[in-house]
Amino acid sequence: MPAEHPAAPPDRDPARFTLFYEQQFDAVLGFVTRRVDDAHLAADLTADIFVAALEGAHTYDPRRGAPAAWLYGISRNVINAHFHGSARERQALSRIGGRRLLDEEDVDAIEARIDADRTVRQFASAHAALSEPLRAVLDLIALDGLTVREAAHALGISSPTARVRLHRARKILRTAGPAPATPYVTLLEATQ
């Protein structure tokens, strides 16, 4: 414990900070070494504590206690932040542990998948943009496997009307771009 405590923590004045640092260094280092068992980590944390003290000198309130108590509060926060950060880092490393790095073939396969999924998303977007009457006929025929006549009956419209709506829906989807290879599209093409 230092023999003499300054009246307040240092401001940004280098001379006052040097005095504060010299008076409090042993106490802070002792606080840190009671909590960590690595000399390099203890030195780093002690330095971080004094940097935080210098940056936060304006937050010191003498009514709440002596500068040493304020500095211990900062020390506790810096050490806790270090351990929380280390725990998050260990958790992240454990999540990726045992996973292999991607090679060129893996990257190519993923890029191909992204491109294929982009086509599916574009097709789905074009499908969603269809008017309800067109989409209803198309879905009953392509997804539910009904014939044009059965779809017309289910919708309460004539077979020629159902055929016209199906034709319009297909035409709109063809203009949206190449259809992806999905079971839906296979069924859609089979109903042509």
Coordinates of all heavy atoms in Angstrom, one line a residue, residues 94-181:
S94 N -14.2 -22.6 -30.0 CA -14.8 -23.9 -29.8 C -15.8 -24.2 -30.9 O -16.0 -25.3 -31.3 CB -15.3 -24.1 -28.4 OG -16.5 -23.4 -28.3
R95 N -16.5 -23.2 -31.3 CA -17.5 -23.4 -32.4 C -16.9 -23.7 -33.7 O -17.5 -24.5 -34.5 CB -18.4 -22.1 -32.5 CG -19.5 -22.0 -31.4 CD -20.5 -21.0 -31.7 NE -20.0 -19.7 -32.0 CZ -19.9 -18.7 -31.1 NH1 -20.2 -18.9 -29.9 NH2 -19.4 -17.5 -31.5
I96 N -15.7 -23.1 -34.0 CA -15.1 -23.4 -35.2 C -14.1 -24.5 -35.1 O -13.5 -25.0 -36.2 CB -14.5 -22.1 -35.9 CG1 -13.3 -21.6 -35.0 CG2 -15.5 -21.1 -36.2 CD1 -12.5 -20.5 -35.7
G97 N -13.8 -24.9 -33.9 CA -12.8 -26.0 -33.7 C -13.2 -27.3 -34.4 O -14.3 -27.7 -34.5
G98 N -12.2 -27.9 -35.1 CA -12.5 -29.2 -35.7 C -13.1 -29.0 -37.1 O -13.3 -30.0 -37.8
R99 N -13.3 -27.8 -37.5 CA -13.8 -27.6 -38.9 C -12.7 -27.4 -39.8 O -11.7 -26.7 -39.5 CB -14.8 -26.4 -38.9 CG -16.0 -26.7 -38.1 CD -16.9 -25.5 -38.2 NE -18.1 -25.8 -37.3 CZ -19.0 -24.9 -37.0 NH1 -18.9 -23.7 -37.5 NH2 -20.0 -25.2 -36.3
R100 N -12.8 -28.0 -41.0 CA -11.7 -27.9 -41.9 C -11.9 -26.6 -42.7 O -12.9 -26.1 -42.9 CB -11.6 -29.1 -42.9 CG -12.8 -29.2 -43.8 CD -12.7 -30.4 -44.7 NE -13.8 -30.6 -45.5 CZ -14.0 -30.0 -46.6 NH1 -13.1 -29.1 -47.1 NH2 -15.1 -30.2 -47.4
L101 N -10.8 -26.1 -43.2 CA -10.8 -24.9 -44.1 C -11.3 -25.3 -45.5 O -11.2 -26.4 -45.9 CB -9.4 -24.3 -44.2 CG -8.8 -23.8 -42.9 CD1 -7.4 -23.3 -43.1 CD2 -9.6 -22.7 -42.3
L102 N -11.9 -24.4 -46.1 CA -12.5 -24.6 -47.5 C -11.3 -24.6 -48.5 O -10.5 -23.8 -48.5 CB -13.5 -23.5 -47.8 CG -14.7 -23.4 -47.0 CD1 -15.6 -22.3 -47.4 CD2 -15.5 -24.7 -47.0
D103 N -11.4 -25.6 -49.4 CA -10.4 -25.6 -50.5 C -11.1 -25.0 -51.7 O -12.3 -24.6 -51.7 CB -9.9 -27.0 -50.7 CG -11.0 -28.0 -51.1 OD1 -12.1 -27.6 -51.5 OD2 -10.7 -29.2 -51.1
E104 N -10.4 -25.0 -52.8 CA -10.9 -24.3 -54.0 C -12.2 -25.0 -54.5 O -13.1 -24.3 -55.0 CB -9.8 -24.3 -55.1 CG -10.2 -23.5 -56.3 CD -10.3 -22.0 -56.0 OE1 -9.5 -21.5 -55.1 OE2 -11.1 -21.3 -56.6
E105 N -12.3 -26.3 -54.4 CA -13.5 -27.0 -54.9 C -14.7 -26.7 -54.0 O -15.8 -26.5 -54.5 CB -13.2 -28.5 -54.9 CG -12.3 -29.0 -55.9 CD -12.0 -30.5 -55.8 OE1 -12.9 -31.2 -55.2 OE2 -11.0 -31.0 -56.4
D106 N -14.4 -26.6 -52.7 CA -15.5 -26.2 -51.8 C -16.1 -24.8 -52.2 O -17.3 -24.6 -52.2 CB -15.1 -26.2 -50.4 CG -14.7 -27.6 -49.9 OD1 -15.3 -28.6 -50.4 OD2 -13.8 -27.7 -49.0
V107 N -15.2 -23.9 -52.4 CA -15.6 -22.5 -52.7 C -16.4 -22.5 -54.0 O -17.4 -21.9 -54.1 CB -14.3 -21.6 -52.8 CG1 -14.7 -20.2 -53.3 CG2 -13.7 -21.5 -51.4
D108 N -15.9 -23.3 -55.0 CA -16.6 -23.3 -56.3 C -18.0 -23.9 -56.1 O -19.0 -23.4 -56.7 CB -15.8 -24.1 -57.3 CG -14.5 -23.5 -57.7 OD1 -14.4 -22.2 -57.6 OD2 -13.6 -24.1 -58.3
A109 N -18.1 -25.0 -55.3 CA -19.4 -25.6 -55.1 C -20.4 -24.6 -54.4 O -21.5 -24.6 -54.7 CB -19.2 -26.9 -54.3
I110 N -19.8 -23.9 -53.4 CA -20.7 -22.9 -52.7 C -21.1 -21.8 -53.6 O -22.3 -21.4 -53.6 CB -19.9 -22.4 -51.4 CG1 -19.8 -23.5 -50.4 CG2 -20.7 -21.2 -50.8 CD1 -18.9 -23.1 -49.2
E111 N -20.2 -21.3 -54.4 CA -20.6 -20.3 -55.4 C -21.6 -20.7 -56.3 O -22.6 -20.0 -56.7 CB -19.3 -19.8 -56.1 CG -18.4 -18.9 -55.2 CD -17.2 -18.5 -55.9 OE1 -16.8 -19.0 -57.0 OE2 -16.5 -17.6 -55.3
A112 N -21.5 -22.0 -56.8 CA -22.5 -22.6 -57.7 C -23.9 -22.7 -57.0 O -24.9 -22.4 -57.6 CB -22.1 -23.9 -58.2
R113 N -23.8 -23.0 -55.8 CA -25.1 -23.2 -55.0 C -25.7 -21.8 -54.8 O -27.0 -21.6 -54.9 CB -24.8 -23.8 -53.6 CG -25.9 -23.9 -52.7 CD -26.8 -25.1 -53.1 NE -28.0 -25.2 -52.3 CZ -28.1 -26.1 -51.3 NH1 -27.1 -26.9 -51.0 NH2 -29.2 -26.1 -50.6
I114 N -24.9 -20.8 -54.5 CA -25.4 -19.4 -54.4 C -26.1 -19.0 -55.7 O -27.2 -18.4 -55.7 CB -24.3 -18.4 -53.9 CG1 -23.9 -18.7 -52.5 CG2 -24.8 -17.0 -54.1 CD1 -22.7 -18.0 -52.0
D115 N -25.4 -19.2 -56.8 CA -25.9 -18.8 -58.1 C -27.3 -19.6 -58.4 O -28.2 -19.0 -58.9 CB -24.9 -19.1 -59.2 CG -23.7 -18.2 -59.2 OD1 -23.9 -17.1 -58.6 OD2 -22.7 -18.5 -59.8
A116 N -27.3 -20.9 -58.1 CA -28.5 -21.6 -58.3 C -29.7 -21.1 -57.4 O -30.8 -21.0 -57.8 CB -28.3 -23.1 -58.0
D117 N -29.3 -20.8 -56.2 CA -30.4 -20.3 -55.3 C -30.8 -18.9 -55.7 O -32.0 -18.6 -55.5 CB -29.9 -20.3 -53.8 CG -29.7 -21.7 -53.2 OD1 -30.3 -22.6 -53.8 OD2 -29.1 -21.8 -52.2
R118 N -29.9 -18.2 -56.3 CA -30.3 -16.8 -56.8 C -31.4 -17.0 -57.9 O -32.4 -16.3 -57.9 CB -29.1 -16.1 -57.3 CG -29.5 -14.7 -57.8 CD -28.2 -13.9 -58.4 NE -27.2 -13.8 -57.4 CZ -26.0 -14.3 -57.5 NH1 -25.6 -15.0 -58.5 NH2 -25.1 -14.1 -56.5
T119 N -31.2 -18.0 -58.7 CA -32.2 -18.2 -59.8 C -33.5 -18.6 -59.2 O -34.6 -18.2 -59.6 CB -31.7 -19.3 -60.7 OG1 -30.4 -18.9 -61.2 CG2 -32.6 -19.6 -61.9
V120 N -33.5 -19.5 -58.2 CA -34.7 -19.9 -57.5 C -35.4 -18.7 -56.8 O -36.6 -18.6 -57.0 CB -34.4 -21.0 -56.4 CG1 -35.6 -21.2 -55.5 CG2 -34.0 -22.3 -57.1
R121 N -34.6 -17.8 -56.2 CA -35.2 -16.6 -55.6 C -35.9 -15.7 -56.6 O -36.9 -15.2 -56.4 CB -34.2 -15.9 -54.8 CG -33.8 -16.5 -53.5 CD -32.9 -15.6 -52.6 NE -31.7 -15.2 -53.3 CZ -30.5 -15.9 -53.3 NH1 -30.5 -17.0 -52.7 NH2 -29.5 -15.4 -53.9
Q122 N -35.2 -15.6 -57.8 CA -35.8 -14.7 -58.8 C -37.1 -15.3 -59.4 O -38.0 -14.6 -59.6 CB -34.7 -14.6 -60.0 CG -33.6 -13.7 -59.6 CD -32.5 -13.7 -60.6 OE1 -32.4 -14.6 -61.5 NE2 -31.6 -12.8 -60.6
F123 N -37.1 -16.7 -59.5 CA -38.2 -17.3 -60.0 C -39.4 -17.2 -59.0 O -40.5 -17.0 -59.4 CB -37.9 -18.8 -60.3 CG -39.0 -19.5 -61.0 CD1 -39.2 -19.4 -62.4 CD2 -39.9 -20.4 -60.3 CE1 -40.2 -20.1 -63.0 CE2 -40.9 -21.0 -60.9 CZ -41.1 -20.9 -62.3
A124 N -39.1 -17.4 -57.7 CA -40.1 -17.3 -56.7 C -40.6 -15.9 -56.6 O -41.8 -15.7 -56.4 CB -39.5 -17.7 -55.3
S125 N -39.8 -14.9 -56.8 CA -40.2 -13.5 -56.8 C -41.2 -13.3 -58.0 O -42.2 -12.6 -57.9 CB -39.0 -12.6 -56.9 OG -39.4 -11.3 -57.0
A126 N -40.8 -13.8 -59.2 CA -41.7 -13.6 -60.4 C -43.0 -14.4 -60.1 O -44.1 -13.8 -60.5 CB -41.0 -14.2 -61.6
H127 N -43.0 -15.5 -59.5 CA -44.2 -16.3 -59.2 C -45.1 -15.4 -58.2 O -46.3 -15.3 -58.4 CB -43.9 -17.6 -58.6 CG -45.0 -18.4 -58.1 ND1 -45.5 -18.3 -56.8 CD2 -45.9 -19.2 -58.8 CE1 -46.5 -19.1 -56.7 NE2 -46.8 -19.7 -57.9
A128 N -44.4 -14.9 -57.2 CA -45.2 -14.1 -56.2 C -45.8 -12.8 -56.9 O -46.8 -12.3 -56.4 CB -44.3 -13.7 -55.0
A129 N -45.2 -12.3 -57.9 CA -45.7 -11.1 -58.6 C -46.9 -11.4 -59.5 O -47.5 -10.5 -60.0 CB -44.5 -10.5 -59.4
L130 N -47.1 -12.7 -59.8 CA -48.3 -13.0 -60.6 C -49.6 -12.5 -59.9 O -49.7 -12.6 -58.7 CB -48.4 -14.5 -60.9 CG -47.3 -15.1 -61.7 CD1 -47.4 -16.7 -61.7 CD2 -47.4 -14.6 -63.2
S131 N -50.6 -12.2 -60.7 CA -51.8 -11.8 -60.2 C -52.4 -13.1 -59.5 O -52.1 -14.2 -59.9 CB -52.8 -11.3 -61.2 OG -53.1 -12.3 -62.2
E132 N -53.3 -12.9 -58.6 CA -53.9 -14.1 -57.9 C -54.6 -15.0 -58.9 O -54.4 -16.3 -58.7 CB -54.9 -13.6 -56.8 CG -55.6 -14.7 -56.1 CD -54.7 -15.7 -55.5 OE1 -53.6 -15.4 -55.0 OE2 -55.1 -16.9 -55.4
P133 N -55.4 -14.6 -59.8 CA -56.0 -15.6 -60.7 C -55.0 -16.4 -61.5 O -55.2 -17.6 -61.7 CB -56.9 -14.7 -61.7 CG -57.1 -13.4 -60.9 CD -55.9 -13.2 -60.1
L134 N -54.0 -15.8 -62.0 CA -52.9 -16.5 -62.7 C -52.2 -17.5 -61.8 O -52.0 -18.7 -62.2 CB -51.9 -15.6 -63.4 CG -52.5 -14.6 -64.4 CD1 -51.4 -13.8 -65.0 CD2 -53.3 -15.3 -65.5
R135 N -51.8 -17.0 -60.6 CA -51.1 -17.9 -59.7 C -51.9 -19.0 -59.2 O -51.5 -20.2 -59.1 CB -50.6 -17.0 -58.5 CG -49.6 -17.8 -57.6 CD -48.9 -16.9 -56.6 NE -49.8 -16.1 -55.8 CZ -50.0 -14.8 -55.9 NH1 -49.3 -14.1 -56.7 NH2 -50.8 -14.2 -55.1
A136 N -53.2 -18.8 -59.0 CA -54.1 -19.9 -58.6 C -54.2 -21.0 -59.6 O -54.1 -22.2 -59.2 CB -55.5 -19.3 -58.3
V137 N -54.4 -20.7 -60.8 CA -54.5 -21.7 -61.9 C -53.1 -22.5 -62.0 O -53.0 -23.7 -62.0 CB -54.8 -21.1 -63.2 CG1 -54.7 -22.2 -64.4 CG2 -56.3 -20.6 -63.2
L138 N -52.0 -21.7 -62.0 CA -50.7 -22.3 -62.1 C -50.4 -23.2 -61.0 O -49.9 -24.3 -61.2 CB -49.7 -21.1 -62.2 CG -48.2 -21.5 -62.3 CD1 -48.0 -22.2 -63.7 CD2 -47.3 -20.3 -62.1
D139 N -50.7 -22.8 -59.8 CA -50.4 -23.6 -58.6 C -51.2 -24.9 -58.6 O -50.7 -26.0 -58.2 CB -50.6 -22.8 -57.3 CG -49.5 -21.8 -57.1 OD1 -48.5 -21.8 -57.9 OD2 -49.7 -20.9 -56.2
L140 N -52.5 -24.8 -58.9 CA -53.3 -26.0 -58.9 C -52.8 -27.0 -59.9 O -52.9 -28.2 -59.7 CB -54.8 -25.6 -59.2 CG -55.6 -25.0 -58.1 CD1 -56.9 -24.5 -58.6 CD2 -55.7 -25.9 -56.9
I141 N -52.3 -26.5 -61.0 CA -51.9 -27.5 -62.1 C -50.4 -27.9 -61.8 O -50.2 -29.1 -61.8 CB -52.0 -26.8 -63.5 CG1 -53.4 -26.6 -63.8 CG2 -51.3 -27.6 -64.5 CD1 -53.7 -25.7 -65.0
A142 N -49.5 -27.0 -61.5 CA -48.1 -27.4 -61.4 C -47.8 -28.0 -60.0 O -47.0 -28.9 -59.9 CB -47.2 -26.1 -61.6
L143 N -48.4 -27.5 -59.0 CA -48.1 -28.0 -57.6 C -49.0 -29.1 -57.2 O -48.6 -30.1 -56.6 CB -48.1 -26.8 -56.6 CG -47.0 -25.8 -56.7 CD1 -47.2 -24.7 -55.6 CD2 -45.7 -26.4 -56.5
D144 N -50.3 -28.9 -57.4 CA -51.2 -29.9 -56.9 C -51.5 -31.0 -57.9 O -52.2 -31.9 -57.6 CB -52.5 -29.2 -56.5 CG -52.3 -28.1 -55.4 OD1 -51.6 -28.5 -54.5 OD2 -52.8 -27.0 -55.5
G145 N -51.0 -30.9 -59.1 CA -51.1 -31.9 -60.1 C -52.5 -32.1 -60.8 O -52.8 -33.1 -61.3
L146 N -53.3 -31.0 -60.7 CA -54.6 -31.1 -61.3 C -54.5 -30.9 -62.8 O -53.6 -30.3 -63.3 CB -55.6 -30.1 -60.7 CG -55.9 -30.1 -59.2 CD1 -56.9 -29.0 -58.9 CD2 -56.4 -31.5 -58.8
T147 N -55.5 -31.4 -63.6 CA -55.5 -31.1 -65.0 C -56.1 -29.7 -65.1 O -56.6 -29.1 -64.2 CB -56.4 -32.1 -65.7 OG1 -57.8 -31.9 -65.3 CG2 -56.0 -33.5 -65.5
V148 N -56.0 -29.1 -66.4 CA -56.6 -27.8 -66.6 C -58.1 -27.8 -66.3 O -58.6 -26.9 -65.7 CB -56.3 -27.4 -68.1 CG1 -57.1 -26.1 -68.4 CG2 -54.9 -27.2 -68.3
R149 N -58.8 -28.9 -66.7 CA -60.2 -29.0 -66.5 C -60.5 -29.1 -65.0 O -61.4 -28.4 -64.5 CB -60.7 -30.2 -67.2 CG -62.2 -30.4 -67.1 CD -62.6 -31.7 -67.9 NE -64.0 -31.7 -67.9 CZ -64.7 -32.3 -68.8 NH1 -64.1 -33.0 -69.8 NH2 -66.0 -32.3 -68.7
E150 N -59.7 -29.8 -64.2 CA -60.0 -30.0 -62.8 C -59.7 -28.6 -62.1 O -60.4 -28.2 -61.2 CB -59.1 -31.1 -62.2 CG -59.5 -32.4 -62.6 CD -58.4 -33.5 -62.3 OE1 -57.2 -33.1 -62.2 OE2 -58.8 -34.7 -62.2
A151 N -58.6 -27.9 -62.5 CA -58.3 -26.6 -61.9 C -59.4 -25.6 -62.2 O -59.8 -24.9 -61.3 CB -57.0 -26.1 -62.5
A152 N -59.9 -25.7 -63.4 CA -61.0 -24.8 -63.8 C -62.2 -25.0 -62.9 O -62.9 -24.1 -62.4 CB -61.4 -24.9 -65.3
H153 N -62.5 -26.3 -62.7 CA -63.7 -26.7 -61.9 C -63.5 -26.2 -60.4 O -64.4 -25.7 -59.8 CB -63.9 -28.2 -61.9 CG -65.1 -28.6 -61.1 ND1 -66.4 -28.3 -61.5 CD2 -65.1 -29.3 -59.9 CE1 -67.2 -28.8 -60.6 NE2 -66.5 -29.4 -59.6
A154 N -62.2 -26.4 -59.9 CA -61.9 -26.0 -58.5 C -62.1 -24.5 -58.3 O -62.4 -24.0 -57.3 CB -60.5 -26.5 -58.1
L155 N -61.7 -23.8 -59.4 CA -61.8 -22.3 -59.3 C -63.1 -21.7 -59.7 O -63.3 -20.5 -59.6 CB -60.7 -21.7 -60.1 CG -59.2 -22.0 -59.6 CD1 -58.2 -21.5 -60.7 CD2 -59.0 -21.3 -58.3
G156 N -64.0 -22.6 -60.3 CA -65.3 -22.1 -60.7 C -65.2 -21.2 -62.0 O -66.0 -20.3 -62.1
I157 N -64.3 -21.6 -62.8 CA -64.1 -20.9 -64.1 C -64.2 -21.9 -65.2 O -64.1 -23.1 -65.0 CB -62.8 -20.1 -64.2 CG1 -61.6 -21.0 -64.0 CG2 -62.8 -19.0 -63.2 CD1 -60.2 -20.4 -64.2
S158 N -64.3 -21.5 -66.5 CA -64.4 -22.4 -67.6 C -63.0 -22.9 -67.9 O -61.9 -22.3 -67.6 CB -64.9 -21.7 -68.8 OG -64.0 -20.7 -69.3
S159 N -62.9 -24.1 -68.6 CA -61.6 -24.7 -69.0 C -60.8 -23.7 -69.9 O -59.6 -23.6 -69.7 CB -61.8 -26.0 -69.7 OG -62.3 -26.9 -68.7
P160 N -61.5 -23.1 -70.9 CA -60.7 -22.2 -71.8 C -60.1 -21.0 -71.0 O -59.0 -20.6 -71.2 CB -61.8 -21.7 -72.8 CG -62.8 -22.7 -72.9 CD -62.8 -23.3 -71.5
T161 N -60.9 -20.5 -70.0 CA -60.3 -19.4 -69.1 C -59.1 -19.9 -68.4 O -58.1 -19.2 -68.3 CB -61.4 -18.9 -68.2 OG1 -62.5 -18.4 -69.0 CG2 -60.9 -17.8 -67.3
A162 N -59.2 -21.1 -67.8 CA -58.1 -21.7 -67.1 C -56.9 -21.9 -68.0 O -55.7 -21.6 -67.6 CB -58.5 -23.0 -66.5
R163 N -57.1 -22.3 -69.2 CA -56.0 -22.5 -70.2 C -55.3 -21.1 -70.5 O -54.1 -21.0 -70.6 CB -56.5 -23.1 -71.5 CG -56.2 -24.6 -71.6 CD -56.5 -25.2 -72.9 NE -57.4 -26.3 -72.7 CZ -58.7 -26.3 -72.8 NH1 -59.4 -25.2 -73.1 NH2 -59.4 -27.4 -72.5
V164 N -56.1 -20.1 -70.7 CA -55.6 -18.8 -71.0 C -54.8 -18.3 -69.8 O -53.7 -17.7 -70.0 CB -56.7 -17.8 -71.3 CG1 -56.3 -16.3 -71.4 CG2 -57.4 -18.1 -72.7
R165 N -55.3 -18.4 -68.6 CA -54.5 -18.0 -67.4 C -53.2 -18.7 -67.2 O -52.2 -18.1 -66.9 CB -55.4 -18.1 -66.2 CG -56.5 -17.1 -66.1 CD -57.4 -17.3 -64.9 NE -58.5 -16.3 -64.9 CZ -59.5 -16.3 -64.0 NH1 -59.4 -17.2 -63.0 NH2 -60.4 -15.4 -64.1
L166 N -53.3 -20.0 -67.5 CA -52.1 -20.9 -67.4 C -51.0 -20.4 -68.4 O -49.9 -20.2 -68.1 CB -52.4 -22.3 -67.6 CG -51.2 -23.3 -67.6 CD1 -50.5 -23.3 -66.2 CD2 -51.7 -24.7 -67.9
H167 N -51.5 -20.1 -69.6 CA -50.6 -19.6 -70.7 C -50.0 -18.3 -70.3 O -48.8 -18.1 -70.5 CB -51.4 -19.5 -72.0 CG -50.6 -18.9 -73.1 ND1 -49.6 -19.5 -73.8 CD2 -50.7 -17.6 -73.6 CE1 -49.1 -18.7 -74.7 NE2 -49.7 -17.5 -74.6
R168 N -50.8 -17.4 -69.8 CA -50.3 -16.1 -69.4 C -49.2 -16.2 -68.3 O -48.2 -15.5 -68.3 CB -51.4 -15.2 -69.0 CG -52.2 -14.7 -70.1 CD -53.4 -13.8 -69.7 NE -54.2 -13.4 -70.8 CZ -55.4 -12.9 -70.7 NH1 -55.9 -12.7 -69.5 NH2 -56.0 -12.5 -71.8
A169 N -49.6 -17.1 -67.3 CA -48.6 -17.2 -66.2 C -47.3 -17.8 -66.6 O -46.2 -17.3 -66.2 CB -49.3 -18.2 -65.1
R170 N -47.3 -18.8 -67.5 CA -46.1 -19.4 -68.0 C -45.3 -18.3 -68.8 O -44.1 -18.3 -68.7 CB -46.4 -20.5 -69.0 CG -46.8 -21.8 -68.3 CD -47.1 -22.9 -69.3 NE -47.6 -24.1 -68.7 CZ -48.4 -24.9 -69.3 NH1 -48.8 -24.7 -70.5 NH2 -48.7 -26.0 -68.6
K171 N -46.0 -17.5 -69.6 CA -45.3 -16.5 -70.4 C -44.6 -15.5 -69.5 O -43.5 -15.1 -69.8 CB -46.4 -15.8 -71.3 CG -45.8 -14.8 -72.3 CD -46.8 -14.2 -73.2 CE -46.2 -13.2 -74.1 NZ -47.3 -12.6 -75.0
I172 N -45.3 -15.1 -68.5 CA -44.7 -14.1 -67.5 C -43.5 -14.7 -66.9 O -42.4 -14.1 -66.8 CB -45.7 -13.6 -66.5 CG1 -46.8 -12.8 -67.2 CG2 -45.0 -12.9 -65.4 CD1 -48.0 -12.5 -66.3
L173 N -43.6 -16.0 -66.5 CA -42.5 -16.6 -65.8 C -41.3 -16.8 -66.7 O -40.1 -16.7 -66.3 CB -42.9 -18.0 -65.2 CG -43.8 -17.8 -64.0 CD1 -44.2 -19.2 -63.4 CD2 -43.2 -17.0 -62.9
R174 N -41.5 -17.1 -68.0 CA -40.5 -17.3 -69.0 C -39.7 -16.0 -69.2 O -38.5 -16.0 -69.4 CB -41.0 -17.8 -70.3 CG -41.1 -19.3 -70.3 CD -41.4 -19.8 -71.8 NE -42.7 -19.5 -72.3 CZ -43.8 -20.2 -72.1 NH1 -43.7 -21.4 -71.5 NH2 -44.9 -19.8 -72.6
T175 N -40.4 -14.9 -69.2 CA -39.8 -13.6 -69.4 C -38.9 -13.2 -68.1 O -38.1 -12.3 -68.2 CB -40.8 -12.5 -69.7 OG1 -41.7 -12.3 -68.6 CG2 -41.5 -12.8 -71.0
A176 N -39.2 -13.8 -67.0 CA -38.5 -13.5 -65.8 C -37.0 -14.1 -65.8 O -36.2 -13.7 -65.0 CB -39.2 -14.0 -64.5
G177 N -36.8 -14.9 -66.7 CA -35.4 -15.5 -66.8 C -35.5 -17.0 -66.9 O -36.6 -17.6 -66.8
P178 N -34.4 -17.7 -66.9 CA -34.4 -19.1 -67.0 C -34.9 -19.7 -65.7 O -34.6 -19.3 -64.6 CB -32.9 -19.5 -67.2 CG -32.1 -18.3 -66.7 CD -33.0 -17.1 -66.9
A179 N -35.7 -20.7 -65.9 CA -36.4 -21.4 -64.7 C -35.3 -22.3 -64.1 O -34.6 -23.0 -64.7 CB -37.6 -22.2 -65.2
P180 N -35.3 -22.3 -62.7 CA -34.4 -23.2 -62.0 C -34.9 -24.6 -62.1 O -36.0 -24.9 -62.3 CB -34.4 -22.6 -60.6 CG -35.8 -22.0 -60.5 CD -36.1 -21.5 -61.8
A181 N -34.0 -25.5 -61.9 CA -34.3 -26.9 -61.9 C -34.9 -27.3 -60.5 O -34.1 -27.6 -59.6 CB -33.1 -27.8 -62.2

